[in-house]
Amino acid sequence: LMTLKGTSSLQRTTYFHLCVHNSMLIFQKQPISLDSGIIEFSYLDIVKSAGHSCPTVLGAYLMTLEGLKALYKDEIPKRGEIIVEFKESQTTGVAGVIGNVITNITGATTTNGFKGIAGKYDRNYLMKFDKDISGASVRFVRADTQKKVDVTYDPNSIFPDRNMSVLMQKSIQGTATNEERIEFGRLWQKRVEDISNNINQVINIKE
């Protein structure tokens, strides 16, 4: 079942620390799949598809993880049967970025997804923007029962290291030394890890 397993860990690379929250999203495949069973998504899987690890990418993963735990309880979620709604437009802020991450996990798309076979398994129109979701960051709805949960993600209470903003500016401007660039990457991913270690503080669920 979809549960948190263990604690977070930090994998070191040459230039940065990649925080991999040791949790797993587990889905039941749709009947159309040739190999019926389950499919798993770790945060590392999401980092690979997004191309980087940051508080936004982590937030999208954690909102999906915690939101679907609340939505399905002891059941295994069915990929392709989850409606995802946002209050913002797709081009506002990081809504589109978060949407891309959640699409990779749930299969939900706007109009660019799998169109299904014989009128079944259509994944288009499962992701919707500009919706009234009572101020939540994202709403997850079960397509089979219409049960819903509203999820809010706010990492602002997890403060970054005081040196991070200065090192970020120097890195962006191209004036940072090699050591400063490495330190910025370490501090950036340290904040990602700190957020992942405080899920109850950054994620709020309303059923």
CSV table of all heavy atoms in Angstrom, one decimal, residues 85-130:
chain,number,residue,atom,x,y,z
A,85,GLU,N,-7.2,19.1,-10.0
A,85,GLU,CA,-7.6,20.5,-10.2
A,85,GLU,C,-6.7,21.5,-9.6
A,85,GLU,O,-6.3,21.3,-8.4
A,85,GLU,CB,-9.1,20.7,-9.7
A,85,GLU,CG,-10.1,19.8,-10.5
A,85,GLU,CD,-11.5,19.9,-10.0
A,85,GLU,OE1,-11.7,20.5,-8.9
A,85,GLU,OE2,-12.4,19.5,-10.7
A,86,PHE,N,-6.5,22.6,-10.3
A,86,PHE,CA,-5.7,23.8,-9.7
A,86,PHE,C,-6.5,25.0,-9.7
A,86,PHE,O,-7.4,25.2,-10.6
A,86,PHE,CB,-4.5,24.0,-10.6
A,86,PHE,CG,-3.5,22.9,-10.6
A,86,PHE,CD1,-3.6,21.8,-11.5
A,86,PHE,CD2,-2.4,22.9,-9.7
A,86,PHE,CE1,-2.7,20.8,-11.5
A,86,PHE,CE2,-1.5,21.8,-9.7
A,86,PHE,CZ,-1.6,20.8,-10.6
A,87,LYS,N,-6.2,25.9,-8.8
A,87,LYS,CA,-6.9,27.2,-8.7
A,87,LYS,C,-6.4,28.2,-9.8
A,87,LYS,O,-7.1,29.0,-10.3
A,87,LYS,CB,-6.8,27.8,-7.3
A,87,LYS,CG,-5.4,28.1,-6.9
A,87,LYS,CD,-5.4,28.6,-5.5
A,87,LYS,CE,-4.0,28.9,-5.0
A,87,LYS,NZ,-3.9,29.3,-3.6
A,88,GLU,N,-5.1,28.1,-10.1
A,88,GLU,CA,-4.5,29.0,-11.1
A,88,GLU,C,-4.6,28.5,-12.5
A,88,GLU,O,-5.0,27.4,-12.8
A,88,GLU,CB,-3.0,29.1,-10.8
A,88,GLU,CG,-2.6,29.6,-9.4
A,88,GLU,CD,-2.3,28.4,-8.5
A,88,GLU,OE1,-2.6,27.3,-8.8
A,88,GLU,OE2,-1.6,28.6,-7.4
A,89,SER,N,-4.3,29.4,-13.4
A,89,SER,CA,-4.2,29.0,-14.8
A,89,SER,C,-2.9,28.2,-15.0
A,89,SER,O,-2.0,28.2,-14.1
A,89,SER,CB,-4.2,30.2,-15.7
A,89,SER,OG,-3.0,30.9,-15.6
A,90,GLN,N,-2.9,27.5,-16.1
A,90,GLN,CA,-1.7,26.6,-16.3
A,90,GLN,C,-0.4,27.4,-16.5
A,90,GLN,O,0.7,26.9,-16.2
A,90,GLN,CB,-1.9,25.8,-17.6
A,90,GLN,CG,-0.9,24.6,-17.8
A,90,GLN,CD,-1.4,23.7,-18.9
A,90,GLN,OE1,-2.3,24.0,-19.7
A,90,GLN,NE2,-0.7,22.5,-19.0
A,91,THR,N,-0.5,28.7,-16.9
A,91,THR,CA,0.7,29.5,-17.1
A,91,THR,C,1.0,30.4,-15.9
A,91,THR,O,1.9,31.2,-16.0
A,91,THR,CB,0.5,30.3,-18.4
A,91,THR,OG1,-0.7,31.1,-18.3
A,91,THR,CG2,0.4,29.4,-19.6
A,92,THR,N,0.2,30.3,-14.8
A,92,THR,CA,0.4,31.2,-13.7
A,92,THR,C,1.5,30.6,-12.7
A,92,THR,O,1.3,29.4,-12.3
A,92,THR,CB,-0.9,31.5,-12.9
A,92,THR,OG1,-1.8,32.1,-13.8
A,92,THR,CG2,-0.6,32.3,-11.7
A,93,GLY,N,2.5,31.4,-12.4
A,93,GLY,CA,3.4,30.9,-11.4
A,93,GLY,C,4.0,29.5,-11.7
A,93,GLY,O,4.5,29.3,-12.9
A,94,VAL,N,4.0,28.6,-10.8
A,94,VAL,CA,4.6,27.3,-11.0
A,94,VAL,C,3.5,26.2,-11.1
A,94,VAL,O,3.7,25.0,-11.1
A,94,VAL,CB,5.5,26.9,-9.8
A,94,VAL,CG1,6.7,27.8,-9.8
A,94,VAL,CG2,4.8,26.9,-8.5
A,95,ALA,N,2.2,26.7,-11.4
A,95,ALA,CA,1.1,25.7,-11.6
A,95,ALA,C,1.4,24.7,-12.7
A,95,ALA,O,1.2,23.5,-12.5
A,95,ALA,CB,-0.2,26.4,-11.8
A,96,GLY,N,1.9,25.2,-13.8
A,96,GLY,CA,2.2,24.3,-14.9
A,96,GLY,C,3.3,23.3,-14.6
A,96,GLY,O,3.3,22.1,-14.9
A,97,VAL,N,4.3,23.7,-13.8
A,97,VAL,CA,5.4,22.9,-13.4
A,97,VAL,C,4.9,21.8,-12.5
A,97,VAL,O,5.2,20.6,-12.6
A,97,VAL,CB,6.5,23.7,-12.7
A,97,VAL,CG1,7.6,22.8,-12.1
A,97,VAL,CG2,7.1,24.8,-13.6
A,98,ILE,N,4.1,22.2,-11.5
A,98,ILE,CA,3.5,21.2,-10.6
A,98,ILE,C,2.6,20.2,-11.3
A,98,ILE,O,2.6,19.0,-11.1
A,98,ILE,CB,2.8,21.9,-9.5
A,98,ILE,CG1,3.7,22.7,-8.6
A,98,ILE,CG2,2.0,20.9,-8.6
A,98,ILE,CD1,3.1,23.6,-7.6
A,99,GLY,N,1.9,20.8,-12.3
A,99,GLY,CA,1.0,19.9,-13.1
A,99,GLY,C,1.8,18.9,-13.9
A,99,GLY,O,1.4,17.7,-14.0
A,100,ASN,N,3.0,19.2,-14.4
A,100,ASN,CA,3.8,18.3,-15.2
A,100,ASN,C,4.2,17.1,-14.3
A,100,ASN,O,4.2,16.0,-14.7
A,100,ASN,CB,5.0,19.0,-15.8
A,100,ASN,CG,4.7,19.8,-16.9
A,100,ASN,OD1,3.6,19.7,-17.6
A,100,ASN,ND2,5.5,20.8,-17.2
A,101,VAL,N,4.6,17.5,-13.0
A,101,VAL,CA,5.0,16.4,-12.1
A,101,VAL,C,3.9,15.5,-11.8
A,101,VAL,O,4.0,14.3,-11.8
A,101,VAL,CB,5.6,17.0,-10.8
A,101,VAL,CG1,5.8,16.0,-9.8
A,101,VAL,CG2,6.9,17.8,-11.1
A,102,ILE,N,2.7,16.1,-11.5
A,102,ILE,CA,1.5,15.3,-11.1
A,102,ILE,C,1.1,14.4,-12.3
A,102,ILE,O,0.6,13.3,-12.2
A,102,ILE,CB,0.4,16.1,-10.6
A,102,ILE,CG1,0.9,16.8,-9.3
A,102,ILE,CG2,-0.8,15.3,-10.3
A,102,ILE,CD1,-0.1,17.7,-8.6
A,103,THR,N,1.2,15.0,-13.5
A,103,THR,CA,0.9,14.2,-14.7
A,103,THR,C,1.7,12.9,-14.8
A,103,THR,O,1.2,11.8,-15.1
A,103,THR,CB,1.1,15.0,-16.0
A,103,THR,OG1,0.0,16.0,-16.1
A,103,THR,CG2,1.0,14.2,-17.3
A,104,ASN,N,3.0,13.1,-14.6
A,104,ASN,CA,3.9,11.9,-14.6
A,104,ASN,C,3.5,10.9,-13.7
A,104,ASN,O,3.7,9.7,-13.9
A,104,ASN,CB,5.3,12.4,-14.4
A,104,ASN,CG,6.0,13.1,-15.5
A,104,ASN,OD1,5.6,13.0,-16.7
A,104,ASN,ND2,6.9,14.0,-15.2
A,105,ILE,N,3.0,11.3,-12.5
A,105,ILE,CA,2.6,10.3,-11.5
A,105,ILE,C,1.2,9.7,-11.7
A,105,ILE,O,1.1,8.5,-11.7
A,105,ILE,CB,2.6,11.0,-10.1
A,105,ILE,CG1,4.0,11.5,-9.8
A,105,ILE,CG2,2.2,10.0,-9.0
A,105,ILE,CD1,4.1,12.4,-8.5
A,106,THR,N,0.2,10.5,-12.0
A,106,THR,CA,-1.2,10.1,-12.0
A,106,THR,C,-1.6,9.7,-13.4
A,106,THR,O,-2.6,9.0,-13.6
A,106,THR,CB,-2.1,11.1,-11.4
A,106,THR,OG1,-2.1,12.3,-12.3
A,106,THR,CG2,-1.7,11.5,-10.0
A,107,GLY,N,-1.0,10.3,-14.4
A,107,GLY,CA,-1.4,10.1,-15.8
A,107,GLY,C,-2.4,11.1,-16.3
A,107,GLY,O,-2.8,11.1,-17.4
A,108,ALA,N,-2.9,11.9,-15.3
A,108,ALA,CA,-3.9,13.0,-15.7
A,108,ALA,C,-3.3,14.0,-16.6
A,108,ALA,O,-2.2,14.5,-16.4
A,108,ALA,CB,-4.5,13.6,-14.4
A,109,THR,N,-4.1,14.4,-17.7
A,109,THR,CA,-3.6,15.4,-18.6
A,109,THR,C,-4.7,16.4,-18.9
A,109,THR,O,-5.9,16.1,-18.5
A,109,THR,CB,-3.1,14.8,-19.9
A,109,THR,OG1,-4.2,14.2,-20.6
A,109,THR,CG2,-2.0,13.8,-19.7
A,110,THR,N,-4.4,17.5,-19.6
A,110,THR,CA,-5.4,18.4,-20.0
A,110,THR,C,-6.0,17.9,-21.4
A,110,THR,O,-7.1,17.3,-21.4
A,110,THR,CB,-4.8,19.8,-20.2
A,110,THR,OG1,-3.6,19.7,-21.1
A,110,THR,CG2,-4.4,20.4,-18.9
A,111,THR,N,-5.3,18.1,-22.5
A,111,THR,CA,-5.8,17.7,-23.8
A,111,THR,C,-4.7,17.0,-24.6
A,111,THR,O,-4.9,16.7,-25.7
A,111,THR,CB,-6.3,18.9,-24.6
A,111,THR,OG1,-5.3,19.8,-24.8
A,111,THR,CG2,-7.5,19.5,-23.9
A,112,ASN,N,-3.6,16.7,-23.9
A,112,ASN,CA,-2.5,16.1,-24.7
A,112,ASN,C,-2.1,14.7,-24.3
A,112,ASN,O,-1.0,14.2,-24.5
A,112,ASN,CB,-1.2,17.0,-24.5
A,112,ASN,CG,-0.8,17.1,-23.1
A,112,ASN,OD1,-1.6,17.0,-22.2
A,112,ASN,ND2,0.5,17.3,-22.8
A,113,GLY,N,-3.1,14.0,-23.6
A,113,GLY,CA,-2.8,12.7,-23.1
A,113,GLY,C,-3.3,11.6,-23.9
A,113,GLY,O,-3.8,11.8,-25.0
A,114,PHE,N,-3.2,10.4,-23.4
A,114,PHE,CA,-3.7,9.2,-24.0
A,114,PHE,C,-5.2,9.3,-24.2
A,114,PHE,O,-6.0,9.6,-23.3
A,114,PHE,CB,-3.4,8.0,-23.2
A,114,PHE,CG,-3.9,6.6,-23.7
A,114,PHE,CD1,-3.5,6.2,-25.0
A,114,PHE,CD2,-4.7,5.8,-22.9
A,114,PHE,CE1,-4.0,5.0,-25.4
A,114,PHE,CE2,-5.1,4.6,-23.4
A,114,PHE,CZ,-4.8,4.2,-24.6
A,115,LYS,N,-5.7,9.0,-25.5
A,115,LYS,CA,-7.1,9.2,-25.8
A,115,LYS,C,-7.9,7.9,-25.5
A,115,LYS,O,-9.2,7.9,-25.7
A,115,LYS,CB,-7.2,9.6,-27.2
A,115,LYS,CG,-6.7,11.0,-27.5
A,115,LYS,CD,-6.8,11.4,-29.0
A,115,LYS,CE,-6.5,12.8,-29.2
A,115,LYS,NZ,-5.1,13.1,-28.7
A,116,GLY,N,-7.3,6.9,-25.1
A,116,GLY,CA,-8.0,5.7,-24.7
A,116,GLY,C,-8.3,4.8,-25.9
A,116,GLY,O,-8.0,5.0,-27.0
A,117,ILE,N,-9.0,3.7,-25.6
A,117,ILE,CA,-9.4,2.7,-26.6
A,117,ILE,C,-10.9,2.3,-26.3
A,117,ILE,O,-11.3,2.0,-25.2
A,117,ILE,CB,-8.5,1.4,-26.5
A,117,ILE,CG1,-7.1,1.8,-26.8
A,117,ILE,CG2,-9.0,0.3,-27.4
A,117,ILE,CD1,-6.1,0.6,-26.6
A,118,ALA,N,-11.7,2.4,-27.4
A,118,ALA,CA,-13.1,2.0,-27.4
A,118,ALA,C,-13.8,2.8,-26.3
A,118,ALA,O,-14.7,2.2,-25.6
A,118,ALA,CB,-13.2,0.5,-27.1
A,119,GLY,N,-13.5,4.0,-26.2
A,119,GLY,CA,-14.2,4.9,-25.2
A,119,GLY,C,-13.8,4.7,-23.8
A,119,GLY,O,-14.4,5.3,-22.9
A,120,LYS,N,-12.7,3.9,-23.5
A,120,LYS,CA,-12.3,3.7,-22.1
A,120,LYS,C,-10.8,4.2,-22.0
A,120,LYS,O,-10.1,4.3,-23.0
A,120,LYS,CB,-12.4,2.2,-21.8
A,120,LYS,CG,-13.8,1.7,-21.8
A,120,LYS,CD,-13.7,0.2,-21.4
A,120,LYS,CE,-15.1,-0.4,-21.3
A,120,LYS,NZ,-15.1,-1.8,-20.9
A,121,TYR,N,-10.5,4.5,-20.7
A,121,TYR,CA,-9.1,4.8,-20.3
A,121,TYR,C,-8.6,6.2,-20.9
A,121,TYR,O,-7.4,6.4,-21.0
A,121,TYR,CB,-8.1,3.7,-20.8
A,121,TYR,CG,-8.7,2.3,-20.4
A,121,TYR,CD1,-8.9,1.4,-21.5
A,121,TYR,CD2,-9.0,2.0,-19.1
A,121,TYR,CE1,-9.4,0.1,-21.2
A,121,TYR,CE2,-9.5,0.7,-18.9
A,121,TYR,CZ,-9.7,-0.2,-19.9
A,121,TYR,OH,-10.3,-1.4,-19.6
A,122,ASP,N,-9.5,7.1,-21.3
A,122,ASP,CA,-9.1,8.4,-21.8
A,122,ASP,C,-8.6,9.2,-20.6
A,122,ASP,O,-9.2,9.4,-19.6
A,122,ASP,CB,-10.3,9.1,-22.4
A,122,ASP,CG,-10.0,10.4,-23.1
A,122,ASP,OD1,-8.8,10.9,-22.9
A,122,ASP,OD2,-10.8,10.9,-23.8
A,123,ARG,N,-7.3,9.7,-20.8
A,123,ARG,CA,-6.7,10.5,-19.7
A,123,ARG,C,-6.8,12.0,-19.9
A,123,ARG,O,-6.2,12.8,-19.1
A,123,ARG,CB,-5.3,10.0,-19.5
A,123,ARG,CG,-5.2,8.6,-19.0
A,123,ARG,CD,-3.7,8.1,-18.8
A,123,ARG,NE,-3.7,6.8,-18.4
A,123,ARG,CZ,-2.6,6.1,-18.2
A,123,ARG,NH1,-1.4,6.6,-18.5
A,123,ARG,NH2,-2.6,4.8,-17.8
A,124,ASN,N,-7.4,12.4,-21.0
A,124,ASN,CA,-7.6,13.8,-21.3
A,124,ASN,C,-8.7,14.4,-20.4
A,124,ASN,O,-9.6,13.7,-20.0
A,124,ASN,CB,-7.9,14.0,-22.7
A,124,ASN,CG,-6.8,13.7,-23.7
A,124,ASN,OD1,-5.8,14.5,-23.7
A,124,ASN,ND2,-6.8,12.6,-24.4
A,125,TYR,N,-8.6,15.7,-20.1
A,125,TYR,CA,-9.6,16.4,-19.3
A,125,TYR,C,-9.6,15.9,-17.8
A,125,TYR,O,-10.5,16.2,-17.1
A,125,TYR,CB,-11.0,16.3,-19.9
A,125,TYR,CG,-11.0,16.8,-21.3
A,125,TYR,CD1,-11.1,15.8,-22.4
A,125,TYR,CD2,-10.8,18.1,-21.7
A,125,TYR,CE1,-11.1,16.2,-23.7
A,125,TYR,CE2,-10.8,18.5,-23.0
A,125,TYR,CZ,-10.9,17.6,-24.0
A,125,TYR,OH,-10.9,18.0,-25.3
A,126,LEU,N,-8.6,15.2,-17.4
A,126,LEU,CA,-8.5,14.8,-16.0
A,126,LEU,C,-7.7,15.8,-15.2
A,126,LEU,O,-7.8,15.8,-14.0
A,126,LEU,CB,-7.8,13.4,-15.9
A,126,LEU,CG,-8.6,12.2,-16.4
A,126,LEU,CD1,-7.7,10.9,-16.2
A,126,LEU,CD2,-9.9,12.1,-15.7
A,127,MET,N,-7.0,16.7,-15.9
A,127,MET,CA,-6.3,17.8,-15.2
A,127,MET,C,-6.9,19.1,-15.6
A,127,MET,O,-7.0,19.4,-16.8
A,127,MET,CB,-4.8,17.8,-15.5
A,127,MET,CG,-4.0,18.9,-14.8
A,127,MET,SD,-2.2,18.7,-14.9
A,127,MET,CE,-1.9,17.3,-13.7
A,128,LYS,N,-7.3,19.9,-14.6
A,128,LYS,CA,-8.1,21.1,-14.9
A,128,LYS,C,-7.5,22.3,-14.2
A,128,LYS,O,-7.1,22.2,-13.0
A,128,LYS,CB,-9.5,20.9,-14.5
A,128,LYS,CG,-10.2,19.6,-15.2
A,128,LYS,CD,-11.6,19.4,-14.6
A,128,LYS,CE,-12.1,18.1,-15.2
A,128,LYS,NZ,-13.5,17.8,-14.8
A,129,PHE,N,-7.5,23.4,-14.8
A,129,PHE,CA,-7.0,24.7,-14.2
A,129,PHE,C,-8.1,25.7,-14.1
A,129,PHE,O,-9.2,25.5,-14.7
A,129,PHE,CB,-5.8,25.2,-15.1
A,129,PHE,CG,-4.6,24.3,-15.1
A,129,PHE,CD1,-4.5,23.2,-16.0
A,129,PHE,CD2,-3.6,24.5,-14.2
A,129,PHE,CE1,-3.4,22.4,-16.0
A,129,PHE,CE2,-2.4,23.7,-14.2
A,129,PHE,CZ,-2.3,22.6,-15.1
A,130,ASP,N,-7.8,26.8,-13.4
A,130,ASP,CA,-8.8,27.8,-13.2
A,130,ASP,C,-10.1,27.3,-12.5
A,130,ASP,O,-11.2,27.7,-12.9
A,130,ASP,CB,-9.1,28.5,-14.5
A,130,ASP,CG,-8.0,29.3,-15.1
A,130,ASP,OD1,-7.4,30.2,-14.3
A,130,ASP,OD2,-7.6,29.1,-16.2
